[in-house]
């Protein structure tokens, strides 16, 4: 039932208002499985139902009334005996209990008898007709059913049926079901559903290349996928240009029963067509086949293959072509490829056919294949390049081991481009274990380093071993120093990263390796940027771009353009950054490997979120996730991008879940760079909830960001933004002193050319802290300054956050008109840009504001409780101790004591008992306010924090308040 649950539920729903459901689709699509599941579901809900079932086979189609025999197998003899003599005799004859009905009168008597039996059964309870494999139902039985079901309207008789039809065709036996039966086409499975199905059936994960071959050949058909998956090899080299996916004999017998009856010429034409990448009549004629059109006409009559009006040849299903190819003898397949090698002109396909026609070691064939692989890579087809280079290595004669290793390394590099990490690793390991060349072993290690993705933490030994092999080879040493710099960057060892990057740049200057020098300068720029040196970072990027030949130099410039855009983004030049990355993505679309595309999509997601293009960010992050899925590896950058987009345009819950996954993936990789970002997004997602529990989780995540950043000596603008987020979370928890320390430290790190967004973020946190200390007016002043600063920048999400903060402070300070204005602006802006989580926050604040208006401003003039103070008051009022409150809210006992002191002061009480009474009064008042609201109850969320409560007759003298318990 993989991927079929929704379809099953839809069919069940249809049966509540209709008399029948007919599933239809091609063989193996899952019709009978759905029928069985639907029958089981119906039986579970109504065990009194009489079920009449038939499921004929192909060989039954010529046997008259066999369907009727199956249907009536469970009908009691008493039902037949109750019929009038003539219909009873006719029906018994049809059921092989008498002479077969021969004339029209007898056949009519059978129809009348079946109708009468159905009516009698329906008089005692519901009746369900289960008609599987309707395409094989014998015609006499079909005619009887068609007669009967047209006449049972008003009776409790339903039908569930299944019929095999060709793709895109309509069922022909709908007449055997009641007139209002709905026909339900069963769709092909998605690739993801096929992968799940095969994984479950096989009991293990197939290599990605093998699984892709199964998906392509099965084309969404579950039966085909299961059969292919069970027979599929677990060796990744068993599929590809020179090896096809095995098609089990059982499938071949089912699919090719009639094909095997075709003349030899037609079967040869089908074989050549199955071997061609893009078969057409033109190709078949060029291959020397004399009458391909006539041969295909014979195949079309059998529903196997056909040529369209443009001459393109298509098999009815991809599996048929694979079955034709697998069914041919080895010499026949080799002959077909030899014919095609002479017929096609495209270099890659020509090389493929050449290799398959000569499946043995041959240097000229290997050279042709290697040349075609390079051509495929230049054309932006890394998958084809990998396949061809691998073939070139296998065709290389054994007395040329160095050439074989070089070609295998090329195949590994192309596999990296294509995101086929397992295949790349296997090829590199083979060279590393067997090559006597130090330089080849270095290249193999470089592929393994690249293959590690973000998980470079454990590769120190690999780099050091490579440096020993590279000793005396400046170019090879530079390659490894560059990777050591990348590793240092990702692992947070910025000083080591800068040292290795400078060393790599010096080495390649001696060796004349411009590409590696460009890479070293790019890594140095990333280190400088993270260390808070944007000017030095920009200079390194511009130097690298000049070496690459400018922004239009092709692949060498792509990473540099992306880095330059991120530097612009960090400097609040959001529009400029967006234009650069959008142009880059449009330019690399057809030619870049998976890594390059993913990195660019992650950068674009960051830019779109800051630019307030929240809906677009969700789409970009989804594209990034799809690119990641192609690699079969859970990549932290893609998860980070998805989480970031969800904080802007999704939901807090989704953002939290994705961010937690990104954190785990970064930790597993040892990637501190993306761990910083993932933790920061997790903190932002937790803050979206606006409650103490979320704030406590946000503090935990953001405190780790702060500690990691300090350990790395990082000082880039995003880190200072995250300091502001940490301070905000601490304020929500009432930890105003700790928030002040964080903000003081952040201010010491701010340079004179700090971006305006950094200053606004810190000012927002300062304003919230002032309000948390009871200085609402001072807090509002700071927040208004932050708002005005952000109005000058293209950062609408940051502006909305700050407007909500200002509106909340104004509301709690009883400046309701000002609060309503800024919260209204926040809601309008958030809705316009698609910032769904912030729109929810703005609506909540407006609802609290409206609830306060409807309550008649009870307690006006007193400061309102913050969410944390309100929750603490609620718990203490319910009898919880300070330690219990701290455990519930994930905060310290000291924080509870400080917050409780403020609650006592705001509410106007001196003891826990008085507080409990005040809270009860507040809840009653809040409920009363809600009860008089008019038609907007879903927007009013009366809680303790939405009301201020005073205790009449407060005693102002006496001993100090005791809040320690």
């Amino acid at each position: 039932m993989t991927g079929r649950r929704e379809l099953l539920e839809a069919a069940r729903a249809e049966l509540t208002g209709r008399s029948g459901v007919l599933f239809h689709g091609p063989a193996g699509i899952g019709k009978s499985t759905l029928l069985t599941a639907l029958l089981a579901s119906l039986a579970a809900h109504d065990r009194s139902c009489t079920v009449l079932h038939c499921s004929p086979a192909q060989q039954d189609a010529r046997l008259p009334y066999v369907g009727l025999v199956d249907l009536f197998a469970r009908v009691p003899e008493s039902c037949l005996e109750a019929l009038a003599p003539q219909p009873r005799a006719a029906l018994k004859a049809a059921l092989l209990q008498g002479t077969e009905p021969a004339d029209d009168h007898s056949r009519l008597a059978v129809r009348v008898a079946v109708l009468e039996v159905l009516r009698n059964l329906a008089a005692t309870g519901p009746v369900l007709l289960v008609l599987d494999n309707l395409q094989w139902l014998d015609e006499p039985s079909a005619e009887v059913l068609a007669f009967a079901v047209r006449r049972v309207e008003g009776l409790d008789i339903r039908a569930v049926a299944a019929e095999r039809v060709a793709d895109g065709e309509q069922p022909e036996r709908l007449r055997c079901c009641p007139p209002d039966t709905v026909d339900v086409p069963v769709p092909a499975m998605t690739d993801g559903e096929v992968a799940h199905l095969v994984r479950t059936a096989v009991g293990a994960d197939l290599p990605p290349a093998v699984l892709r071959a199964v998906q392509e050949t099965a084309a969404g058909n579950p039966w085909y996928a299961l059969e292919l998956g069970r027979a599929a090899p677990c060796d990744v080299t068993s599929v590809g240009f020179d090896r096809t996916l095995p098609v089990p004999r059982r499938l071949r017998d089912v699919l090719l029963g009639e094909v095997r009856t075709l003349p030899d010429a037609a079967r040869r034409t089908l074989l050549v067509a199955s071997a061609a990448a893009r078969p057409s009549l033109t190709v078949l004629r060029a291959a020397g086949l004399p009458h391909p059109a006539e041969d295909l006409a014979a195949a079309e009559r059998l529903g196997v293959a056909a040529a369209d009006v443009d001459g393109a040849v298509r098999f009815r299903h991809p599996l048929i072509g694979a079955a034709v190819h697998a069914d041919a003898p080895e010499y026949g397949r080799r002959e077909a490829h030899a014919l095609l090698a002479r017929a096609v002109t495209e270099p890659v396909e020509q090389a493929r056919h050449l290799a398959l026609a000569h499946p043995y070691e041959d240097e000229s064939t290997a050279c042709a294949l290697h040349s075609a692989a390079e051509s495929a890579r230049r054309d932006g087809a890394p998958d084809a390049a990998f396949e061809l280079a691998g073939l070139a290595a296998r065709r290389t004669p054994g007395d040329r081991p160095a050439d074989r290793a070089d070609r295998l390394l090329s195949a590994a590099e192309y596999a990296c481009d294509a995101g086929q990490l397992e295949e790349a690793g296997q090829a590199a390991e083979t060279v590393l274990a067997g090559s006597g060349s130090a330089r080849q072993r270095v290249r193999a290690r470089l592929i393994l380093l690249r293959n590690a993705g973000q998980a470079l933490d454990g590769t120190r030994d690999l780099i050091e071993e490579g440096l020993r092999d590279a000793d005396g080879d400046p170019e090879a040493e530079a390659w490894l120093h560059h990777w050591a710099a990348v590793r240092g960057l990702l692992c947070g060892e910025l000083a080591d990263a800068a040292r290795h990057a400078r060393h790599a740049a010096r080495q390649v200057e001696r060796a004349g390796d411009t590409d590696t020098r460009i890479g070293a300068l790019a890594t140095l720029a990333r280190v400088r940027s993270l260390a808070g040196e944007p000017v030095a970072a920009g200079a390194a990027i511009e130097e690298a771009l000049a070496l690459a030949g400018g922004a239009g130099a092709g692949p060498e410039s792509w990473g540099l353009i992306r880095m330059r855009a991120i530097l612009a983004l960090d400097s609040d030049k959001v529009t400029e950054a967006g234009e650069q990355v959008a142009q880059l993505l449009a330019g690399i679309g057809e030619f870049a490997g998976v890594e390059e595309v993913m990195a660019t999509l992650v950068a674009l997601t960051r830019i779109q979120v800051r630019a307030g293009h929240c809906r677009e960010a969700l789409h970009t992050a989804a594209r990034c996730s799809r690119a990641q899925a192609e690699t079969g590896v859970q990549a932290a950058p893609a998860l980070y991008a998805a989480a970031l987009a969800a904080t802007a345009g999704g939901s807090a819950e989704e953002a939290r879940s994705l961010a937690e996954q990104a954190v785990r993936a970064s930790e597993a990789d040892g990637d501190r760079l993306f761990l910083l970002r993932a933790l920061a997004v997790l903190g932002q997602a937790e803050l979206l909830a606006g409650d103490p529990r979320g704030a406590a989780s946000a503090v935990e995540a953001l405190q780790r960001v702060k500690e990691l950043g300090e350990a790395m000596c990082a000082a880039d603008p995003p880190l200072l933004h995250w300091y502001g987020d940490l301070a905000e979370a601490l304020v929500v928890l009432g930890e105003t002193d700790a928030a002040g320390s964080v903000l003081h430290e952040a201010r010491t790190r701010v340079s004179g050319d700090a971006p305006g967004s950094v200053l606004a973020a810190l000012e927002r946190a300062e304003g919230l802290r002032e309000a948390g200390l009871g200085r609402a007016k001072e807090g509002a002043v700071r927040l208004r300054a932050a708002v005005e600063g952000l109005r000058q920048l293209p950062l609408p999400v940051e502006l909305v956050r700050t407007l909500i903060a200002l509106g909340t402070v104004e509301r709690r300070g009883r400046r309701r008109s000002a609060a309503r204005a800024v919260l209204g602006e926040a809601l309008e802006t958030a809705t316009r840009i698609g910032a769904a989580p912030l729109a929810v926050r703005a609506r909540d604040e407006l609802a609290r504001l409206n609830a306060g208006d409807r309550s008649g401003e009870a307690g006006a003039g007193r400061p309102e409780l913050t969410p944390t103070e309100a929750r603490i008051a609620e718990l203490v009022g319910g009898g919880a101790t300070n330690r219990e409150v701290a455990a519930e809210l994930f905060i310290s006992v000291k924080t509870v004591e400080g917050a409780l002191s403020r609650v006592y002061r705001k509410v106007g009480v001196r003891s826990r008992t008085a507080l409990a009474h005040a809270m009860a009064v507040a809840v009653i008042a809040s409920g009363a306010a809600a009860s008089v609201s008019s038609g907007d109850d879903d927007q009013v969320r009366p809680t303790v924090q939405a009301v201020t409560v005073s205790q009449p007759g407060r005693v102002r003298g006496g001993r100090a308040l005791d809040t320690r318990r």
Side-chain angles (χ1 to χ4, degrees):
M1 292 303 295
T2 299
R4 302 300 199 214
R5 297 292 177 187
E6 289 186 8
L7 192 63
L8 179 63
E9 291 303 315
R12 279 193 57 191
E14 290 286 359
L15 276 177
T16 61
R18 293 176 178 265
S19 296
V21 168
L22 169 62
F23 297 111
H24 63 89
I29 202 66
K31 306 177 297 298
S32 296
T33 301
L34 278 163
L35 193 70
T36 302
L38 182 57
L39 178 58
S41 175
L42 294 172
H45 286 80
D46 186 359
R47 297 186 180 276
S48 66
C49 186
T50 299
V51 179
L52 305 183
H53 188 284
C54 75
S55 181
Q58 183 174 5
Q59 56 268 33
D60 300 336
R62 295 188 180 91
L63 303 177
Y65 294 112
V66 70
L68 215 56
V69 171
D70 289 343
L71 277 174
F72 276 71
R74 297 178 60 185
V75 174
E77 184 68 22
S78 58
C79 288
L80 303 185
E81 294 300 328
L83 296 171
Q86 189 173 359
R88 181 175 67 243
L91 179 56
K92 285 192 171 187
L95 300 178
L96 300 184
Q97 299 175 23
T99 305
E100 178 186 339
D103 55 26
D104 289 344
H105 189 77
S106 298
R107 285 191 285 269
L108 175 59
V110 174
R111 288 162 169 72
V112 171
V114 168
L115 176 59
E116 193 62 26
V117 170
L118 291 177
R119 285 172 173 167
N120 291 339
L121 290 172
T124 62
V127 177
L128 181 66
L129 301 175
V130 181
L131 311 171
D132 199 3
N133 287 331
L134 268 179
Q135 73 279 0
W136 304 132
L137 184 64
D138 62 278
E139 192 58 32
S141 294
E143 292 297 334
V144 170
L145 276 177
F147 175 88
V149 296
R150 291 197 302 270
R151 292 165 171 81
V152 295
E153 186 177 359
L155 299 178
D156 193 358
I157 297 177
R158 291 179 294 170
V160 290
E163 182 181 351
R164 180 189 300 180
V165 300
D167 280 321
E169 298 295 328
Q170 293 300 309
E172 298 179 357
R173 291 292 181 86
L174 194 59
R175 59 193 171 90
C176 297
C177 302
D180 64 341
T181 294
V182 60
D183 63 287
V184 179
V186 182
M189 284 184 169
T190 65
D191 281 350
E193 290 165 351
V194 168
H196 175 76
L197 181 69
V198 171
R199 191 178 301 118
T200 304
V202 175
D205 286 340
L206 294 175
V210 177
L211 179 59
R212 282 194 294 272
V214 171
Q215 290 167 330
E216 290 169 5
T217 308
N221 187 297
W223 179 45
Y224 295 167
L226 285 172
E227 292 291 320
L228 292 169
R230 291 186 180 115
C234 291
D235 178 10
V236 71
T237 61
S238 299
V239 296
F241 275 179
D242 63 337
R243 291 178 174 86
T244 55
L245 196 66
V247 180
R249 175 166 292 279
R250 181 167 64 162
L251 271 182
R252 301 206 307 266
D253 290 344
V254 170
L255 294 167
L256 305 179
E258 293 183 301
V259 172
R260 291 167 179 165
T261 66
L262 288 171
D264 289 345
R267 292 173 64 186
R268 185 171 184 239
T269 296
L270 288 176
L271 174 58
V272 175
S274 73
R278 289 174 294 277
S280 67
L281 290 175
T282 301
V283 168
L284 296 177
R285 291 190 189 100
L289 300 177
H291 306 293
E294 290 83 345
D295 296 338
L296 286 168
E300 185 175 9
R301 286 192 290 273
L302 298 179
V304 173
D308 62 21
V309 293
D310 296 323
V313 177
R314 290 182 176 83
F315 287 92
R316 192 187 72 212
H317 190 281
L319 182 57
I320 296 177
V324 166
H325 195 270
D327 209 45
E330 175 62 26
Y331 71 84
R333 292 195 291 265
R334 287 175 57 182
E335 181 195 28
H337 288 295
L339 293 174
L340 289 167
R342 295 192 294 270
V344 300
T345 57
E346 199 276 321
V348 171
E349 189 177 355
Q350 189 178 56
R352 169 180 174 264
H353 291 304
L354 182 65
L356 296 176
H358 303 89
Y360 44 79
E361 294 179 358
D362 177 73
E363 179 58 20
S364 63
T365 301
C367 286
L369 287 166
H370 194 258
S371 176
E374 293 174 340
S375 175
R377 189 187 198 188
R378 287 193 300 272
D379 292 342
D383 291 282
F386 160 61
E387 300 273 12
L388 289 164
L391 272 175
R394 288 193 287 275
R395 296 295 184 270
T396 303
D399 60 356
R400 306 174 71 97
D403 290 338
R404 176 176 287 182
D406 277 336
R407 289 162 183 166
L408 198 53
L409 287 170
S410 295
E413 290 169 352
Y414 302 155
C416 281
D417 291 341
Q420 299 185 34
L421 306 185
E422 184 176 351
E423 294 88 334
Q426 287 180 354
E429 292 284 6
T430 299
V431 174
L432 190 59
S435 176
S437 163
R439 191 176 178 90
Q440 284 181 339
R441 291 196 301 273
V442 168
R443 283 184 63 195
R445 288 189 176 92
L446 295 176
I447 290 165
L448 293 174
L449 287 166
R450 181 181 171 191
N451 219 29
Q454 305 294 120
L456 290 176
D457 190 32
T459 60
R460 187 189 297 274
D461 290 346
L462 193 64
I463 293 170
E464 290 177 354
E465 291 163 4
L467 284 169
R468 285 195 291 272
D469 263 341
D471 188 29
D473 183 341
E475 187 177 37
E477 286 183 10
W479 295 340
L480 288 157
H481 278 294
H482 175 224
W483 272 104
V486 174
R487 180 194 170 278
L489 176 68
L490 294 180
C491 296
E493 301 164 3
L494 298 190
D496 282 350
R499 177 171 56 82
H500 282 294
R502 287 192 293 268
H503 195 134
R506 287 195 299 270
Q507 289 287 93
V508 292
E509 199 165 17
R510 288 169 50 200
D513 181 353
T514 303
D515 290 346
T516 304
R517 179 169 172 77
I518 291 169
L521 286 169
T523 302
L524 187 60
R526 293 181 72 190
V527 173
R528 294 301 185 209
S529 172
L530 194 60
E533 303 172 18
V535 176
I541 290 174
E542 295 308 322
E543 182 182 352
L545 269 172
L547 284 171
E556 292 78 11
S557 67
W558 291 344
L560 300 169
I561 295 169
R562 191 166 54 245
M563 289 176 60
R564 187 164 66 177
I566 292 300
L567 280 179
L569 177 69
D570 290 344
S571 300
D572 295 342
K573 300 172 183 176
V574 181
T575 304
E576 176 185 325
E579 290 172 351
Q580 290 177 6
V581 173
Q583 290 173 6
L584 174 61
L585 190 60
I588 71 174
E590 296 181 7
F591 306 104
V594 175
E595 297 165 318
E596 196 71 46
V597 171
M598 278 183 58
T600 306
L601 290 171
V602 171
L604 184 57
T605 302
R606 291 178 61 187
I607 293 166
Q608 288 170 333
V609 166
R610 294 207 72 202
H613 302 152
C614 303
R615 300 179 187 90
E616 293 86 341
L618 288 172
H619 292 306
T620 302
R623 284 180 63 190
C624 189
S625 297
R626 288 194 294 272
Q628 169 213 300
E630 292 177 9
T631 69
V633 177
Q634 192 177 53
L639 290 166
Y640 156 76
L644 182 64
T647 63
S651 68
E653 293 78 11
E654 180 186 13
R656 185 184 301 113
S657 173
L658 289 165
E660 287 171 346
Q661 293 177 55
V663 168
R664 289 194 294 270
S666 299
E667 288 173 333
D669 290 344
D671 180 353
R672 290 190 171 190
L673 188 60
F674 267 98
L675 180 58
L676 269 178
R677 295 174 180 174
L679 285 167
V681 174
L682 179 58
Q684 291 165 357
E686 296 286 8
L687 268 176
L688 285 173
D691 57 40
R693 188 179 293 273
S697 299
V699 167
E700 183 180 351
L702 293 166
Q703 189 64 45
R704 285 188 67 191
V705 171
K706 181 174 177 293
E707 292 166 359
L708 279 169
E710 289 170 353
M712 293 167 63
C713 301
D716 61 336
L719 192 68
L720 296 176
H721 278 282
W722 302 333
Y723 271 65
D725 291 341
L726 174 57
E728 286 188 31
L730 288 166
V731 169
V732 173
L733 292 179
E735 301 269 11
T736 49
D737 290 344
S741 298
V742 170
L743 288 169
H744 176 73
E745 185 176 348
R747 293 288 186 188
T748 63
R749 290 171 173 266
V750 173
S751 61
D753 57 352
S757 61
V758 168
L759 301 176
L762 297 178
E763 195 73 359
R764 179 175 63 232
E766 294 273 19
L768 289 170
R769 179 174 178 271
E770 289 285 347
L773 289 168
R775 299 192 286 264
K777 289 184 179 178
E778 293 83 347
V781 168
R782 282 186 174 274
L783 288 164
R784 279 194 288 270
V787 166
E788 292 310 311
L790 287 168
R791 290 193 193 281
Q792 313 306 314
L793 300 171
L795 304 170
V797 172
E798 289 296 306
L799 176 61
V800 170
R801 279 188 66 182
T802 310
L803 287 169
I804 291 172
L806 175 58
T808 302
V809 169
E810 297 282 33
R811 176 180 65 77
R812 290 174 181 162
R814 304 302 174 190
R815 290 181 289 276
R816 297 193 173 274
S817 177
R820 184 168 283 104
V822 293
L823 290 172
E825 181 185 353
L827 178 58
E828 187 277 328
T829 305
T831 303
R832 174 171 49 80
I833 66 175
L838 291 176
V840 170
R841 287 288 307 278
R843 286 193 193 94
D844 286 347
E845 289 298 324
L846 282 168
R848 292 188 182 103
L849 187 63
N850 294 334
D853 288 346
R854 287 192 286 269
S855 70
E857 296 290 348
R862 295 191 191 281
E864 186 179 343
L865 301 184
T866 67
T868 301
E869 292 169 349
R871 183 66 177 135
I872 290 173
E874 181 183 351
L875 292 170
V876 169
T881 66
N882 289 1
R883 192 171 300 280
E884 289 169 341
V885 173
E888 171 70 19
L889 301 183
F890 300 98
I891 57 179
S892 68
V893 175
K894 181 179 178 183
T895 299
V896 174
E897 292 171 354
L900 197 51
S901 294
R902 293 193 297 275
V903 169
Y904 282 0
R905 184 171 61 252
K906 289 180 178 181
V907 175
V909 298
R910 293 178 52 78
S911 70
R912 303 168 86 87
T913 303
L915 179 62
H917 175 70
M919 291 300 100
V921 171
V923 170
I924 293 170
S926 179
S931 68
V932 299
S933 65
S934 55
D936 197 23
D937 290 344
D938 60 327
Q939 295 296 322
V940 180
R941 300 172 187 177
T943 61
V944 172
Q945 70 187 60
V947 245
T948 55
V949 184
S950 61
Q951 178 70 16
R954 179 186 179 196
V955 179
R956 297 184 179 275
R959 61 187 177 85
L961 303 177
D962 181 9
T963 62
R964 293 172 296 171
R965 287 175 41 221

